[in-house]
Amino acid sequence: MSIWVLRGLRDGIVTTRWPRRPDGYADSWRGPVTIASDDVPGNGAAASSAWLPDGAAADDARLEQLCPTGAIEVTDQVRVDQGRCILCGRCVAARPDLFAWSAGATGPAAAAAVRQALVVPEEPGTDAALAAARSALAARTAALRRSVHVRHVDAGSDGSEEWEIQALLGPVYDIHRLGVFFTASPRHADVLMVTGAGTVGMTGPLRTTYKGMPDPKVVIAVGTDAVSGGLLSDRLSGVGSEVPVDVWVPGSPPSPFSIMQALLIATGKLAPGARR
Ligand code: SF4
């Protein structure tokens, strides 16, 4: 008897039941940084500590300078743009009273249907923008059936996102069970999944791929690099300036659960309100 058969009998079924059932592994993933709050497991700082004390202007620049990608902004409130966070941990190490890791790959650090929804605490108007984006997306993707095909384009990735996308095809995540299949041809694709910061050499092929896909089509930006340019954000702005992104997935890299969630949101299979 083959060793693989014996291993299979020993391990049993390893495929996650998510999203039909909760998955503890998804909850154990570390998401991008958020503002410290009692709502975040393992963080006892009060949410009100995110508000700046009077006359704290001298400290503002130091807070913003903590972040190599400009994800931290100090105005009337300290805000973190999770779409810029590369999970370096500098802010959490320096100011654990202000910053904490978001918990759970499919929780508050997961995919969003509008770019501004990646900013915490929420900016005014985010809920209205999310509702409008969701209804527009639902109307556009109503024609998509039980299975969809995905074309992946690497627009200058460091390769980390590709490892997580590749994991979707393994026995643990088994994305095929959700009716998602990858294709090499844009002509057969319903979803364009883009990784990387949007390097100059890839803008042409990326646009050509998008134009070659039949309507309706959905675009997912996977990872902080694709969302904002990541560490290259002073020179590149991500892929949103090249193709119209419908779903944004933060993380460097994002977890396979986050990518699955984005695919389900993009194709109307996950209920609205998945983020937050
Ligand atoms: S990139 Fe680093 S410093 Fe900036 S918010 Fe993320 S963890 Fe904090």
Side-chain angles (χ1 to χ4, degrees), residues 34-40 43-50 95-100:
T34 188
I35 297 297
S37 161
D38 283 338
D39 294 333
V40 180
N43 175 22
S48 59
S49 66
R95 292 297 301 271
D97 56 323
L98 284 181
F99 305 104

Side-chain angles (χ1 to χ4, degrees), residues 33 66-69 71-72 80 84-91 101:
V33 156
L66 279 173
C67 183
T69 58
I72 298 172
V80 176
R84 285 176 168 270
C85 178
I86 58 167
L87 286 73
C88 72
R90 289 178 62 177
C91 59
W101 297 111

Side-chain angles (χ1 to χ4, degrees), residues 138-172:
R140 191 146 48 87
T141 58
L144 298 181
R145 300 300 179 198
R146 290 172 65 106
S147 70
V148 293
H149 284 76
V150 179
R151 174 77 174 107
H152 167 231
V153 172
D154 174 350
S157 168
D158 60 8
S160 58
E161 283 85 8
E162 279 66 29
W163 280 103
E164 307 305 334
I165 291 171
Q166 192 66 32
L168 295 176
L169 302 173
V172 174

Side-chain angles (χ1 to χ4, degrees), residues 46-63:
S48 59
S49 66
W51 293 85
L52 288 177
D54 289 342
D59 199 37
D60 297 358
R62 286 203 293 274
L63 279 181

